[in-house]
Amino acid sequence: MDKELAQYINTLLADKERLLKGALKGLSKTKKDSSNIEADFILKQEIEWELGMIYKSQKSMDYFEEEC
């Protein structure tokens, strides 16, 4: 993997992270008015899991960038 590809993947991951954090923030605002607390809880867990995977992926891409 070359350095430019790793940087590009990191950029995509950062964009996805920003979108998910916005969704999580929006979810917490609407949660008070929501009638389906269980669905909101599951969605929150899925978003948090994906954010964790993005973090791990970004660390891997940082490693690849350093190796190139």
Side-chain angles (χ1 to χ4, degrees):
M1 178 179 300
D2 63 353
K3 188 174 184 175
E4 291 82 20
L5 181 59
Q7 289 172 339
Y8 178 70
I9 291 171
N10 248 346
T11 302
L12 293 175
L13 289 168
D15 189 45
K16 180 73 173 183
E17 179 182 31
R18 180 185 57 79
L19 292 171
L20 286 172
K21 284 182 177 179
L24 194 58
K25 192 179 287 186
L27 181 63
S28 65
K29 288 180 183 177
T30 60
K31 192 172 189 177
K32 296 170 188 166
D33 301 330
S34 179
S35 61
N36 196 346
I37 302 294
E38 185 177 342
D40 289 347
F41 178 75
I42 292 169
L43 183 58
K44 182 180 181 239
Q45 283 185 319
E46 289 176 356
I47 290 172
E48 289 174 345
W49 177 84
E50 192 165 353
L51 286 170
M53 294 304 293
I54 288 172
Y55 176 79
K56 290 177 184 179
S57 300
Q58 286 172 326
K59 292 300 173 192
S60 296
M61 290 298 106
D62 290 344
Y63 171 77
F64 284 121
E65 282 183 54
E66 290 175 10
E67 292 295 313
C68 294

